[in-house]
């Protein structure tokens, strides 16, 4: 179980690094992104492991990845280029 938690934390770290590298202009400070990715992965692993029980390591890692990506997506800001409509005359 310790290795499963460590694996999910590493998975969250990798996903957070990838998001920070790819979407740096749309995310807040890098430490917040890394902490959110790791915390989301650990929480996702905990929820999946609790729901499915022991012996489902790959599914637990999949649940960790899903919750980590969902948590990271909540940090995204809108793109800088927003079209503004002109006021009707």
């Amino acid at each position: 179980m310790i290795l499963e938690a460590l694996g999910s934390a590493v998975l969250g770290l990798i996903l957070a690094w990838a998001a920070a590298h790819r979407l740096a202009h749309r995310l807040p400070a890098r430490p917040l992104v890394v902490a959110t990715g790791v915390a989301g992965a650990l929480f996702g692993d905990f929820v999946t492991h609790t729901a499915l029980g022991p012996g489902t390591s790959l599914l637990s890692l999949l649940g960790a990845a899903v919750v980590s990506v969902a948590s990271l997506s909540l940090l995204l800001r809108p793109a800088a280029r927003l079209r503004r409509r002109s006021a009707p005359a």
Side-chain angles (χ1 to χ4, degrees):
M1 186 156 159
I2 296 295
L3 289 176
E4 188 177 327
L6 184 63
S8 65
V10 169
L11 180 64
L13 185 65
I14 291 169
L15 290 171
W17 176 82
H21 181 69
R22 177 99 170 118
L23 300 167
H25 60 286
R26 294 185 58 196
L27 287 169
R30 191 173 297 253
L32 178 64
V33 172
V34 171
T36 303
V38 172
L42 287 172
F43 183 68
D45 181 45
F46 171 71
V47 169
T48 309
H49 184 82
T50 302
L52 299 178
T56 56
S57 297
L58 291 177
L59 290 176
S60 292
L61 288 177
L62 180 65
V66 167
V67 174
S68 179
V69 169
S71 299
L72 289 170
S73 72
L74 294 175
L75 295 177
L76 284 175
R77 294 181 288 205
R81 292 178 279 142
L82 292 177
R83 285 199 237 175
R84 296 190 183 254
R85 292 184 168 193
S86 60

